[in-house]
Amino acid sequence: MRGIISTEVLEGFCQILKDKGENRPLVEVFDMVAGTSTGGLIASAMTCPSLIGRTEDQGPALMDPGKLGDIYKVYGSEIFGEPVPRILNAVSDKFSPRKLESLLKLWFKDARFSSCVIPTLIMGYDVTAGVPFPMASTENKELFTWEVGRCTSAAPTYFPAFQLGNQLIVDGGVIANNPSLYAYRYARSLWPKCKRFHILSISTCSSIYRYNSLSTYGIASWTSIYKVYANAQQQTTDEMMECLPDVDYLRIYKEMGARIEMDDARDQTISQLETYGKELFLKNKTVMESFADRIIAAQKPIPTAEVETSMAPIQRRTSFLQKIKKWVRRMNG
């Protein structure tokens, strides 16, 4: 449900682009999109045509961030509305995946992941082999988009792993809550000659889990250790991204004051998430405006005058060499 925060920030960024005269949809402004877990669902929705909320006559269309926020409100309470009885939690995940799968099939029908209009990377983790399972629209051509969505959102303890052939795939958040490093690697494979990568990374935010001295003892302390892993993993990615010399990296993140569980679909929580998303956007509006200027400028052709200026040192050097050759010819008489 915290994906609502991301959709609010994305909606604000779209408005920034429009205010700057850039009226194209996000999938035409960016060259590729990546996502993990609920972010993977958002990424798929923006790049893979969907029929949800439309008739066959209208044909499929891409979701915009504003409409995506509405999807969370309408379907969140259904997906997270019937938890498995607590007494069974020790031998079962918290929720049945049935309603989530129904939504994904309604959303994407039988669309292949390869139908994404721009390269899209969604993160999963193969627990059978114990390796990362990045799903790329340009490579995983046999996958259905609904399967990709089910894989990346199979959050351990919330939903069971998804059986994909002989593989069991779980939420990519166990390896890449922030998928920026994998997105960078994928982008470099697609555009090996590119000299500058502009990456906008939008978080769903969270409250950082902190232990006190007593909570670090005994078996009970391990029940929340995954929360520490998630925080540490995201911090590592941010630090590594900022070290890459060919990357312009903007991370939109703020620690939440109150902890909000990702399956909390109550009306008051949804309202709280919307407010938090709007506040997060306003807090980062200035840096996002600057980022928008850079990506718009990066897509414009270099003016002829600039090309001539950049060639000037070479031309001066050539002219100097020609003068030397003439002088040598005169000396040789």
Side-chain angles (χ1 to χ4, degrees), residues 157-158 207-212 215-232 259 261:
T157 74
Y158 286 88
S207 55
I208 295 177
Y209 191 82
R210 296 176 174 88
Y211 279 104
N212 58 45
S215 62
T216 59
Y217 295 99
I219 296 175
S221 69
W222 290 94
T223 59
S224 298
I225 195 67
Y226 74 92
K227 300 170 186 175
V228 177
Y229 288 157
N231 293 333
R259 179 169 180 79
E261 298 294 339

Side-chain angles (χ1 to χ4, degrees), residues 30-44:
F30 286 88
D31 296 303
M32 64 161 284
V33 176
T36 297
S37 194
T38 196
L41 297 178
I42 292 172
S44 299

